[in-house]
Amino acid sequence: MQSIYFVDSDFTYELSTQSILSIRYATDGFSFCVHDAHDKLMVFVHEPYAADSREAVIAQLKNYLVNDVILNLRFKKVYLMPCFSERTIIPGALFNKANVATLYSVNQEITPDDTLLYHHIEKIDAYLVETINTTLNNFVWEHFPVLQIVNEAYPFIQGALTKALHGSEQIFLNIQADFFDILFIKDTRVQLFNSFNHRTATDIVYFLLNCIKECDIQKEKLHVSVFGAATNDEKLKELLSTYLPTPYFAKEPILNGILPGKEINSSYFIHLLNLHRCGL
C-alpha cells in the first residue's frame, strides 16, 4: 500500500481544538485521521513501513509525533490505537484493580517497563486489558493532554456488537499482517474471542474452520464478516467462499470518495476511522 497524505481544503489549522484526532500504529505502518466538529473526515494519512520489533515501532511513532505539523496541533480529543495481539479480555465478575496484573499475566507477558491499561466493554460486561511501554505512555501524554489509548480490538469488538443480530450466529474476523482476531457472537451474546498468528490465507481458514467445529456452529446459517489488511487477498476470498456461504468483506466507502484514483484497501482503516465513535 502506498503512502497517503490527504488534507481537505476546508481544514482550518487554527480550529483544530474543535476536531478529533485518531492515530493507529503497528509493525506494518502508521496512520492518522482528523474528524471536524461535524464528524467530517478532514485529514487522512497513511505511511506504510515494516518494523521488526516493538521498539522500532515506538521509534517510528515518536518520529511522526515530533515532526508532523498536524500532529503538533491541539485537539478536542486524541485517540491512540496500538494494533498488537498482546491483550486479553477479563470478565467483569473477575475484574478488580488489585488483581488485574495477575489476571493479565495468565496468558500475556508483563514487564517492569510496562503500564497496564484497561477499558470496560459495557455490552458484554468485560474489560479489555493491554500494556504500553511506560516511557512511551508518558511521552504521548505529555504530547497530547487529552488522550485515550486503546488497542484496535476495542473498536473491532464494539463495532461487531452493534451489528449483532437476534437469532443468528455471526463470526467477525479482524485480519492483520501476522495475526487475526476471531469473534463469535450467538444471538447477540459473545461466545468466543481469540487471536491466532498466521502466515498464509490457509492458516486463517484452518483456524476459522476449527473454531466453527469446536463451537458446534452450523455453517449454513453462519454470517461471516471480514475486516483488515487481508481483505484484498484473492486466495483468502477464494478459500472462504469455498467453505462458507457468502462471506462479507467490509469496506469503508468514504475513502474512495476523498482519494479518487488511488488503490487502497479501505477495510484496513475501518477501526481507525470509527475509533472516535466507540464511546471512550
Side-chain angles (χ1 to χ4, degrees):
M1 194 180 301
Q2 72 272 43
S3 298
I4 299 168
Y5 205 104
F6 164 81
V7 180
D8 192 285
S9 58
D10 291 331
F11 179 65
T12 304
Y13 287 68
E14 292 77 13
L15 297 179
S16 64
T17 53
Q18 300 177 18
S19 300
I20 297 176
L21 169 67
S22 301
I23 302 170
R24 176 193 185 275
Y25 70 98
T27 56
D28 56 0
F30 172 85
S31 314
F32 69 88
C33 63
V34 176
H35 289 84
D36 70 6
H38 305 290
D39 203 24
K40 179 182 178 182
L41 182 62
M42 303 301 291
V43 177
F44 178 78
V45 175
H46 175 63
E47 187 63 37
Y49 56 70
D52 59 4
S53 68
R54 189 70 66 90
E55 290 75 21
V57 174
I58 291 174
Q60 290 275 16
L61 173 62
K62 287 184 175 180
N63 179 62
Y64 288 119
L65 295 184
V66 169
N67 293 303
D68 188 272
V69 173
I70 292 176
L71 296 179
N72 281 278
L73 300 174
R74 288 292 172 258
F75 293 90
K76 179 181 179 180
K77 194 81 179 264
V78 177
Y79 295 95
L80 184 67
M81 187 176 73
C83 186
F84 302 109
S85 61
E86 293 81 12
R87 64 281 202 269
T88 194
I89 290 181
I90 298 175
L94 299 178
F95 181 90
N96 68 64
K97 295 179 182 179
N99 69 5
V100 62
T102 300
L103 291 172
Y104 179 82
S105 62
V106 169
N107 59 7
Q108 299 292 350
E109 182 181 358
I110 183 171
T111 75
D113 296 327
D114 290 330
T115 294
L116 272 166
L117 305 175
Y118 46 83
H119 295 86
H120 189 224
I121 305 175
E122 185 175 354
K123 288 185 178 181
I124 59 173
D125 188 25
Y127 288 81
L128 178 67
V129 184
E130 62 187 299
T131 60
I132 186 172
N133 175 270
T134 300
T135 301
L136 174 61
N137 185 62
N138 295 338
F139 175 84
V140 293
W141 271 103
E142 289 178 7
H143 197 80
F144 298 121
V146 286
L147 179 68
Q148 283 278 5
I149 304 172
V150 65
N151 190 279
E152 190 175 47
Y154 186 87
F156 168 57
I157 294 171
Q158 292 281 39
L161 288 170
T162 65
K163 299 176 177 64
L165 302 173
H166 287 282
S168 70
E169 295 184 327
Q170 298 165 273
I171 282 182
F172 298 85
L173 301 177
N174 191 36
I175 303 174
Q176 305 304 325
D178 53 6
F179 75 94
F180 74 97
D181 298 322
I182 181 169
L183 177 68
F184 171 41
I185 299 178
K186 182 177 182 178
D187 195 27
T188 74
R189 296 180 63 86
V190 171
Q191 305 294 315
L192 170 72
F193 176 77
N194 208 344
S195 300
F196 300 94
N197 294 329
H198 73 85
R199 291 186 179 180
T200 67
T202 304
D203 294 337
I204 296 170
V205 175
Y206 169 81
F207 286 120
L208 171 61
L209 293 177
N210 188 58
C211 287
I212 290 173
K213 178 181 178 182
E214 293 299 320
C215 294
D216 195 26
I217 300 170
Q218 299 181 53
K219 287 195 295 183
E220 297 76 15
K221 297 182 180 180
L222 178 64
H223 300 272
V224 177
S225 299
V226 186
F227 302 82
T231 52
N232 277 1
D233 186 329
E234 294 303 322
K235 180 64 174 179
L236 176 63
K237 290 182 177 181
E238 178 186 344
L239 286 171
L240 287 177
S241 298
T242 298
Y243 292 102
L244 299 169
T246 59
Y248 168 69
F249 294 86
K251 296 181 180 179
E252 182 49 76
I254 191 172
L255 292 183
N256 296 328
I258 68 170
L259 301 169
K262 285 188 177 291
E263 293 184 7
I264 181 170
N265 179 6
S266 62
S267 181
Y268 180 90
F269 303 104
I270 285 177
H271 305 310
L272 170 67
L273 293 171
N274 288 284
L275 181 57
H276 67 293
R277 304 185 181 104
C278 288
L280 286 173

